[in-house]
Amino acid sequence: MQDSIKDKVIRIGTRGSKLALWQAEHAAEKLQAAGLKTELVIISTKGDQVLDRSLDKIGSKGVFTEELEVSLREGNIDIAVHSAKDVQSTIPDDLELVAFMEREKVNDVILSFDPNFKLDRDSNVVIGTSSTRRKALLKKHYPNVTTAESRGNLQTRLRKLEEKQFDALMLAYAGVYRMGYDNMIVHTFPEDEFVPAAGQGSVAIECAKNLQPELKAAIKDALNHADTYVCLLAERAFLRTMEGGCSIPSFALATLTEEGGVSINGGIVSLDGETLLQKTMSGTAAEAESLGVQLANDTLSNGGEEILTSIKRERSEI
C-alpha cells in the first residue's frame, strides 16, 4: 500500500438507522481488512426526517442521499454508503459510484408475527409497504390485498405491525436478513414475478470524482464485487433511461449467465396494477449498460411512456 494512503482515515458517511449502520460497518470491516483506517460519520437525510408522507409526495430524487452527497462535496466525508436501490438514477457530474458490494438475495418477502400467515390470490389482508412498485405489483397479483403506508426504519415498521396497523409487512429480504429478522418471513415472492427494484440487495459506495486517485483505487479494490458491479451497470442504465426513481413502479434485475453474459429482466407496472410490461434481454457482459438502455427504450415505446405520463398526471392532481 502506498505511503500516501496507509495513514489516511477514510471517513464513511452513513444514515443513522440500524440497517444503514450495518452497511457502513460492513464496508468499514472490508476496508480495515485491506489495511485502511476508517471512521463513521452519521448524517440525517430528508427521507429520515419526513416520515408522515409517502416518498412520492416528498419528491423521491435523492431523498435518502442528498445530504450525504453535500458532505462528499464539502470534503466532510470521503465515501458515502447507500442502499443501492435508494440511489437516484442520475449521479451529479462531480460525484461517482466507485463500487457495488456483493449482492444479497434479491427477493421481496412478507413478515408477520403470525407464523401461520398465508398469502394467496384470495387473501383479504392489509400489508404495510412504502414502495410504489410493491403496491402496484400486489394489486396486479393479489387484487384483494389492501396496502397501508409504512415509512420509517425496520424497527419502526415492526412496531407498527405489532400495534396491528396492518396484518403483515412487505420488505426486501436483504434488510430483513441483515437485521436478523428472517425468522419472521412467512412468504417469499419469486423474483421473476415480483422483479425487485434496480439495485435491491446491494450496497453502493459513492465518492467525489476528485478524491485522491490512489485512495479511490484502494477503496474500489476493497469493496467492489465484480459480478454485482456488472449487473448493476445494466439495472441502473435501465433506471436512468426510464428516468425513474424509487417513486416510479419500474423494476429491473440483471443476472450473469453460465456463459459469462448478462440477462436483464425489467419493466414497469401501472399504479392500479392493470398494465404490466415486462421483458428479458440478454447479451455479453461488455454490453451490460447498453442492454439496460435497450430494455428501457423498448419498455417506453411499448406502453411504458403512457404509464409514466399517467402517473405524472395523477400525482399533479393530488
Side-chain angles (χ1 to χ4, degrees):
M1 185 182 299
Q2 296 187 22
D3 291 341
S4 60
I5 62 172
K6 69 178 182 179
D7 294 323
K8 163 74 176 176
V9 177
I10 299 174
R11 294 160 299 169
I12 303 172
T14 175
R15 296 164 59 201
S17 72
K18 286 186 178 180
L19 179 56
L21 288 171
W22 182 96
Q23 293 175 164
E25 287 164 359
H26 182 52
E29 288 170 4
K30 286 191 170 294
L31 289 168
Q32 290 163 15
L36 298 162
K37 299 175 183 177
T38 65
E39 173 191 349
L40 296 190
V41 180
I42 298 174
I43 298 168
S44 180
T45 69
K46 186 176 182 181
D48 300 309
Q49 298 158 11
V50 182
L51 298 175
D52 59 346
R53 281 171 281 164
S54 60
L55 291 175
D56 56 281
K57 290 184 174 62
I58 61 175
S60 63
K61 187 174 183 180
V63 69
F64 290 117
T65 60
E66 186 175 0
E67 289 79 4
L68 289 159
E69 291 181 335
V70 169
S71 289
L72 283 173
R73 286 194 183 93
E74 294 178 347
N76 297 323
I77 58 175
D78 299 298
I79 60 172
V81 177
H82 311 290
S83 291
K85 68 182 178 61
D86 290 338
V87 180
Q88 64 268 37
S89 55
T90 302
I91 301 298
D93 290 340
D94 57 340
L95 304 176
E96 65 178 293
L97 295 175
V98 70
F100 292 112
M101 299 184 71
E102 185 172 6
R103 193 174 217 164
E104 185 51 78
K105 191 167 128 180
V106 300
N107 305 67
D108 289 324
V109 296
I110 293 287
L111 267 63
S112 175
F113 286 108
D114 176 9
N116 297 313
F117 180 92
K118 293 288 187 289
L119 182 68
D120 56 45
R121 190 164 175 83
D122 298 323
S123 294
N124 188 7
V125 294
V126 179
I127 295 179
T129 176
S130 60
S131 162
T132 306
R133 174 188 60 86
R134 291 180 183 134
K135 291 174 188 174
L137 287 173
L138 282 170
K139 287 179 181 177
K140 173 68 178 177
H141 298 293
Y142 298 91
N144 293 328
V145 163
T146 301
T147 58
E149 191 64 35
S150 174
R151 293 287 318 283
N153 61 41
L154 179 53
Q155 289 72 26
T156 298
R157 298 186 197 199
L158 286 171
R159 177 179 52 77
K160 292 178 179 179
L161 177 60
E162 197 167 19
E163 294 169 352
K164 301 189 185 305
Q165 294 187 28
F166 19 77
D167 299 306
L169 273 173
M170 187 172 179
L171 298 160
Y173 171 86
V176 173
Y177 173 73
R178 288 164 178 162
M179 289 292 94
Y181 292 107
D182 44 317
N183 62 310
M184 291 180 61
I185 295 174
V186 293
H187 185 89
T188 299
F189 295 95
E191 69 268 25
D192 57 345
E193 183 177 67
F194 276 70
V195 183
Q200 185 160 304
S202 179
V203 175
I205 308 299
E206 188 177 22
C207 70
K209 279 187 177 175
N210 64 3
L211 185 67
Q212 183 183 354
E214 295 82 6
L215 182 58
K216 190 187 299 185
I219 290 168
K220 183 168 185 174
D221 286 345
L223 300 181
N224 191 56
H225 184 253
D227 289 354
T228 301
Y229 189 86
V230 170
C231 291
L232 263 69
L233 283 180
E235 293 171 26
R236 288 189 52 76
F238 171 87
L239 188 68
R240 187 167 57 249
T241 307
M242 292 290 291
E243 296 187 349
C246 54
S247 68
I248 298 298
S250 65
F251 46 83
L253 176 63
T255 54
L256 298 186
T257 65
E258 291 183 2
E259 298 78 23
V262 177
S263 177
I264 179 169
N265 180 5
I268 191 169
V269 57
S270 60
L271 293 180
D272 60 9
E274 291 295 319
T275 305
L276 173 66
L277 305 176
Q278 185 174 336
K279 189 172 182 177
T280 300
M281 291 185 176
S282 300
T284 67
E287 297 170 325
E289 282 195 273
S290 60
L291 274 174
V293 172
Q294 186 181 346
L295 179 59
N297 284 328
D298 185 273
T299 302
L300 289 169
S301 61
N302 285 285
E305 194 69 64
E306 287 79 2
I307 291 176
L308 286 175
T309 299
S310 175
I311 291 171
K312 290 172 185 174
R313 185 188 310 116
E314 184 175 329
R315 289 181 177 161
S316 68
E317 294 171 353
I318 297 176

